[in-house]
Amino acid sequence: MNRKVTVVGAGHVGATVARGVADKELADVVLLDILEGVPQGKALDMLEACPIEGSDARVLGTNDYADTAGSDVVVITAGIARKPGMSRDDLLQTNFKIMKAVTENIVQHSPGCIVVPVTNPLDVMCQVVYKVSGLPRERVVGMAGVLDSARMRTFIAAELKVSVENTHAFVLGGHGDTMVPLPRYSTVAGIPITELLDQATIDRIVTRTANGGAEIVKLLGTGSAYYAPGSAATEMVEAILKDKKKILPCSTYLQGEYGIDGVFVGVPVKLGAGGVEDIIEIRLEAGERAALEKSANAVRELVAVVGV
Ligand code: APR
């Protein structure tokens, strides 16, 4: 294969992304972790699944960044995950230090790569990668909105008893308690859900979407979600490697778009070989705009705490 994807962090999310990329034969995969043996063991296990999946992807597990050299895309999932009762923001200081160290290593070995941060708190971690790496903003694109909208699509499809393939959901803002699901732009076969569901049901779906991560953390008892986050990051990797120019909600560094400047927030972007090739601005109502600004300010506050 002539493409290379590195996944940093061979935990629950990292292994799920690595497997998704290998199964879909999108690229050769390097899985890196600080734990010795774990990335090697998981990578070998995935490699041995490839004959069954019909994939000739090579999967390598390592503790050495030299093996990641020349990666096209680097997905960062290294860090600690939430425990019950913790918010994503509680992970801030620990994951900041991990993110900084990981970023320095990946840009040294893959200066041309596109980085997809997944570690939480997501938008702040994107800002850390962006500032520490010195990469152009197009090449740092965070995974959050794809996951949040997948959760919303799941709930819409279940409520209306329709195929998930008919659903489309729009979620803006930071990946946290202030995320902004947009029912007006969320559709079933092109029909806005505001035409199909009553307000109380929509409110219920919106609340469940915003609490989607916490719902799973509570059920698991230890650790946080990884199947849907893994699928979401894989979709982004696919959009980049295949230059699909797919419009997806992603965390991106805004420079005046939506009236927001100098901070990573989730908005619809066009994702292709160049990374974020365009930022799609949609018209927001006053309430939606205020919610997005509130969300951006919540990210800003955390950015100030770590000082990037
Ligand atoms: N370099 C490389 N890997 C690291 C480092 C580091 N400096 N520090 C920690 N790790 C690795 C851990 O060894 C572990 O294998 O990151 C992995 C994290 O895996 P899990 O604990 O299983 O966490 P996971 O559920 O995968 O979540 C990772 O993604 O969705 C977010 O909120 C989630 O921030 C969390 C991250």
Side-chain angles (χ1 to χ4, degrees):
M1 220 145 296
N2 58 3
R3 299 305 194 92
K4 184 167 175 181
V5 171
T6 287
V7 179
V8 184
H12 288 93
V13 179
T16 312
V17 181
R19 172 125 208 244
V21 173
D23 282 0
K24 292 188 159 201
E25 211 177 33
L26 298 177
D28 288 334
V29 181
V30 177
L31 184 60
L32 182 144
D33 202 287
I34 40 166
L35 297 177
E36 287 179 21
V38 171
Q40 289 85 349
K42 291 191 182 182
L44 181 58
D45 197 7
M46 285 176 212
L47 189 67
E48 291 167 355
C50 284
I52 303 166
E53 300 297 336
S55 167
D56 280 306
R58 280 168 294 222
V59 191
L60 175 78
T62 186
N63 310 112
D64 184 354
Y65 278 93
D67 291 322
T68 71
S71 294
D72 298 284
V73 181
V74 177
V75 180
I76 309 180
T77 72
I80 55 165
R82 280 198 279 176
K83 296 181 181 65
M86 282 173 90
S87 78
R88 291 184 181 89
D89 300 352
D90 293 332
L91 309 173
L92 184 63
Q93 291 295 357
T94 306
N95 286 352
F96 165 61
K97 291 193 197 94
I98 293 171
M99 216 59 180
K100 192 163 171 290
V102 169
T103 303
E104 284 161 358
N105 278 304
I106 58 171
V107 285
Q108 186 192 335
H109 292 89
S110 303
C113 74
I114 293 171
V115 185
V116 179
V118 175
T119 305
N120 278 307
L122 189 271
D123 306 278
V124 191
M125 294 301 120
C126 290
Q127 194 117 351
V128 173
V129 172
Y130 174 61
K131 295 286 180 180
V132 172
S133 68
L135 292 175
R137 72 165 173 165
E138 295 76 22
R139 292 205 268 130
V140 180
V141 54
M143 190 294 291
V146 176
L147 168 63
D148 296 327
S149 27
R151 286 182 172 144
M152 189 163 168
R153 290 174 63 191
T154 307
F155 306 143
I156 292 169
E159 196 65 51
L160 288 166
K161 299 185 178 55
V162 296
S163 165
V164 290
E165 290 185 69
N166 281 136
T167 62
H168 189 87
F170 229 109
V171 178
L172 296 179
H175 186 49
D177 306 336
T178 57
M179 75 176 74
V180 189
L182 287 188
R184 279 193 312 128
Y185 286 104
S186 300
T187 58
V188 172
I191 309 160
I193 60 165
T194 44
E195 305 282 318
L196 301 169
L197 294 166
D198 59 49
Q199 193 56 47
T201 307
I202 291 174
D203 289 346
R204 196 157 32 79
I205 289 173
V206 163
T207 304
R208 193 168 177 203
T209 301
N211 296 326
E215 183 179 358
I216 290 173
V217 169
K218 195 162 167 234
L219 287 167
L220 290 177
T222 169
S224 53
Y226 50 99
Y227 291 118
S231 294
T234 305
E235 183 179 21
M236 290 173 65
V237 170
E238 184 171 29
I240 294 166
L241 292 180
K242 292 187 176 168
D243 192 22
K244 286 178 82 83
K245 309 202 183 297
K246 201 168 190 177
I247 312 289
L248 292 171
C250 299
S251 184
T252 192
Y253 190 69
L254 296 183
Q255 290 178 313
E257 298 87 357
Y258 288 94
I260 294 169
D261 195 40
V263 70
F264 273 81
V265 188
V267 295
V269 306
K270 189 197 282 180
L271 207 53
V276 176
E277 297 187 353
D278 203 2
I279 293 174
I280 316 295
E281 284 196 74
I282 52 169
R283 212 161 358 99
L284 297 180
E285 290 173 349
E288 294 164 346
R289 183 168 289 275
L292 185 60
E293 270 161 23
K294 185 173 166 221
S295 189
N297 286 335
V299 179
R300 271 201 191 94
E301 278 173 27
L302 295 186
V303 165
V305 173
V306 293
V308 286

